[in-house]
Amino acid sequence: MTDSNHKWVYLFTEGSGEMRDLLGGKGAGAAEMTRAGMPVPPGFTITTEACRAYYSGERGFPDGMWEQALEALKWVEERAGKKLGGRENPLLVSVRSGAKFSMPGMMDTVLNLGLNPDTLEGLKARTGDERFSLDAYRRFIQMFGRIVRGIDGDLFEEALSEAKREAGVKTDPELSPDHLRRLVTTYQEIYRQHTGEQFPEDPVEQMRQAIQAVFESWNTPRAITYRKQEKIPDDLGTAVNVQTMVFGNMGDSSGTGVAFTRNPINGVKELYGDYLANAQGEDVVAGIRETEPVSALKGHMPEVYQQFVDYAGQLERHYRDVQDLEFTIERGRLYMLQTRNAKRTGEAAVNIAVDMVGEDLITQPEAVARVEPRQIEQLLHPRVDDAHAKEPPIGKGVPASPGAAVGQAVFDADTAEEWGQQGRDVILVRVETNPNDVHGMVAARGILTSTGGTASHAALVARGMGRPCVVGASAIEVNVKEGWFRANGTRVEQGQEITVDGTSGNVFLGRVPTIAPEPSAKLLTLLGWADGIRRLEVWANADYPRDAIKARENGAQGIGLCRTEHMFMEEERLPIVQAMIMADTTEEREQHLSRLLPIQRSDFDGILEAMQGLPVVIRLIDPPLHEFLPNYEDLLVRITELKIKSPDDPELPQLEHVRSRVEQLREANPMLGLRGCRLSILFPEITRMQVRAIMEAACDLKQRGVDARPEIMIPLVGTLAELDAVKAELVPVARQVQEERGIEVDYKFGTMIEVPRAALTAGEIARSAEFFSFGTNDLTQTTFGYSRDDAEGKFIVRYLERKILPVNPFESIDRGGVGRLMELAVREGRAARPGLEVGICGEHGGDPDSIRLCHELGLDYVSCSPFRVPVARLAAAQAVVAEAGAGTK
Ligand code: PEP
Ligand code: MG
């Protein structure tokens, strides 16, 4: 885009809250507050579009952008009555990133921009505070050096510590102007050494470089990691806000804070946040200094507090959502710096949504749309069972993100990531976290820090990710370098197991038992609203009665997949299953099968009874038979050993026999081999036994007055002839059992749609299938030609990184390929058999985006794991709300 007339820059007075796409959250918020007449320091926003244009070309500002920024700067100067670079009354600005979706602390900010030796004099004269002015200058050099030129921040921190040591003082404010002046010189020297250039003195040049640095910060590894985690698209770009600085560090009548209009942890309606007197904003967010609760302001400056309370209420009513506010008080004058929709825990999200309906602020469908389905999962997280902890906690901190997490302590983000990738559960333990730790936080089960409050980086990010988190556990002494922490006399080494309880703030040594929480009344209310809105039914995948009971408690309306092979794998059954597979003749196989029959019958009896009155889809045996036998290589090793050590061992011939059978059954691509309905065709006696067990259980239950509704599902069908061949074996068994018992049961025979050919010929297959269930695990595998057991560990991660795949198709249905096959199968299946029942039982059944697709395709139900049922209920309702919203636009 090179049209220099294009509008790249908006003054705060020109924008509005609706312009988040273009102005980012921060810019739109500042504009909205300005429009509402609140005291917002004047400024302007460079659009996200400019950032996109920056990346689309050779990383240069698009034509006209810089000129517009300079124009806007003039306006700001007039409005503020100050001048950038002016000696008399210098204007200082902040240059901040601000994307459409908030990414706390992920991108860059430069404060106090505009200082140089000249303006420093002006600032001193205006404020009459030399110490303050010099401190602002050294902070600016430090931030600019670190952010714009990538100088290691520790170099500045070390110089600061050294200065304090020399001065014999402990805290920054104790440094005298002389010390600070020397520190400024040292900082300039660090800058020169690392860049080979003098620190830029021209404030306009400073601004140009800072704007470019903010654009660049959109694509730092930490920002990319965060976006991946939060599913924020990479191509949105960030806006840049240039705003007049106000100072919270001009003495005790100044200060800065962050506040939420409701408690973001539990949703209680109260002003909640942190305040730091005589400080700059960065100090609060970084969690370096001890803060006071924002309510303390009431005591210090009651009028300012009241004014802030009024603005907070006004903003919440305007946005009809909880706001996360940043403010600064400069010498008794309040300035509003930022308002955005607050990040919140699952518990808070539910409570706030339900409360706001009660307050007539939002409608029920809006409440349903407000809570992220993933957050519901967080709510159902286990919590620490304090009553059963063997030892008391070794420490306690601020509960910042709820849930219990158990894992091995690690002290740096890289190790957390590395161990996490090895499949180990880790807890990341730090003094504080900063944006460079995000990759470790993603990999960790939980997070523990010894400093920081509820608005610290660790707390904010952990809440957003749904990781249990405890911050500010001040009794804990962390030694990152040596890899240990000490808490109340107990030393914990890297790799030792600990439990953190983000609900209570407790930290325990070792693994503490956890309990599943009861859903709260408000959650039940919200889910009730969702049930009233959704069209899709929600069923569950469950193999055992206990899972079925759990599913039903969570609101499941049926079982969409009961995988029978898990029952074969159980310890006491496996030998019978193996003997059955080893059998040389059909008769011999049938003998073993007859021993399995009563066992299977009792399995089905349990699950059908647990789900009485509701459908239970039972899938006949699916995996290749060799999965039930010993591993071929292991067998060879054992046989070879025995041959050498004791060639006369009577076990040898038996082992040889097993080996030869395993060899017969071995396949190069077992997932594409003798499995699914192909087994039923080659060994019909196995599935005849299964159908007999299902029907006997159903008849017995019916006789006892229990309404059993089995739906028998045949896997991996690719042609109508296959399905018909299997049915020809099985339907007579079902009939026969009913005749034998003299009872009629409500049952169906249906098929999975999990290979592309089944989807493509769904019209034919529906002639014989009474229901369809999409097995999207296999359908994804066979549509892409990706081995699902290998792809995720091997190349999918790289594909995602390089954006060859937009999302992992095993997590979220690939709309363009798999989704189209599904659409065709639903359409042609229902054309052949009106009212055909169609569901999904692949892992995607619990994924909100896939649920939306299933809704759009007109499926009857989604089936997912029992604990995700509430998530799916909410997501199914959101699909309806989204559709309605899209229709009215
Ligand atoms: C599927 O393929 O989606 C499915 C549910 O079956 P399985 O994962 O057992 O192959
Ligand atoms: Mg399958």
Side-chain angles (χ1 to χ4, degrees), residues 212-448:
Q212 180 161 9
V214 172
F215 280 163
E216 288 286 330
S217 73
W218 175 254
N219 270 340
T220 56
R222 69 186 194 217
I224 294 170
T225 307
Y226 184 86
R227 285 199 293 273
K228 197 152 86 193
Q229 170 76 16
E230 297 293 313
K231 300 211 164 98
I232 298 173
D234 281 327
D235 55 5
L236 295 178
T238 180
V240 185
N241 297 289
V242 178
Q243 186 174 22
T244 307
M245 284 292 300
V246 287
F247 294 95
N249 52 347
M250 292 186 75
D252 287 340
S253 64
S254 303
T256 186
V258 293
F260 298 86
T261 55
R262 301 190 191 210
N263 186 317
I265 296 169
N266 57 24
V268 168
K269 197 173 176 186
E270 64 185 2
L271 206 54
Y272 179 93
D274 302 314
Y275 177 71
L276 251 183
N278 198 11
Q280 271 199 333
E282 291 295 293
D283 302 336
V284 181
V285 180
I288 299 167
R289 270 175 57 190
E290 292 272 326
T291 56
E292 294 181 276
V294 70
S295 55
L297 192 55
K298 198 174 181 175
H300 306 320
M301 285 179 259
E303 277 165 29
V304 174
Y305 180 74
Q306 191 50 48
Q307 195 188 1
F308 180 67
V309 170
D310 292 344
Y311 287 150
Q314 199 179 326
L315 286 167
E316 189 184 273
R317 283 192 299 281
H318 176 78
Y319 285 102
R320 298 159 69 239
D321 200 356
V322 187
Q323 296 299 295
D324 168 353
L325 305 166
E326 273 181 31
F327 65 97
T328 284
I329 301 164
E330 184 182 290
R331 293 184 163 161
R333 244 196 104 177
L334 173 68
Y335 290 95
M336 302 295 285
L337 299 185
Q338 182 168 185
T339 185
R340 57 183 172 190
N341 290 345
K343 296 217 178 286
R344 62 206 83 171
T345 64
E347 183 183 344
V350 170
N351 292 346
I352 289 167
V354 174
D355 287 350
M356 284 190 166
V357 172
E359 294 164 28
D360 270 343
L361 216 50
I362 58 174
T363 62
Q364 287 182 9
E366 279 174 316
V368 162
R370 283 279 169 91
V371 179
E372 267 200 54
R374 275 194 296 171
Q375 290 190 307
I376 298 272
E377 225 172 311
Q378 194 189 100
L379 261 191
L380 301 168
H381 269 326
R383 295 185 182 180
V384 159
D385 184 1
D386 285 88
H388 290 95
K390 278 196 219 85
E391 307 280 339
I394 53 170
K396 188 171 172 70
V398 180
S401 179
V406 185
Q408 295 170 294
V410 296
F411 298 91
D412 68 284
D414 290 342
T415 312
E417 186 178 43
E418 193 187 315
W419 289 19
Q421 277 167 359
Q422 293 163 6
R424 292 155 81 172
D425 291 341
V426 300
I427 307 285
L428 181 62
V429 185
R430 303 280 292 162
V431 175
E432 51 164 332
T433 64
N434 67 45
N436 294 327
D437 294 321
V438 170
H439 61 293
M441 299 171 82
V442 171
R445 294 269 157 202
I447 293 139
L448 168 65

Side-chain angles (χ1 to χ4, degrees), residues 563 619 622 675 715-716 752 754 775-779 788:
R563 289 181 168 105
R619 182 181 70 186
D622 182 39
R675 56 172 287 223
L716 223 73
M752 295 191 75
E754 53 181 345
T776 42
N777 304 333
D778 271 309
L779 192 58
R788 68 200 234 210

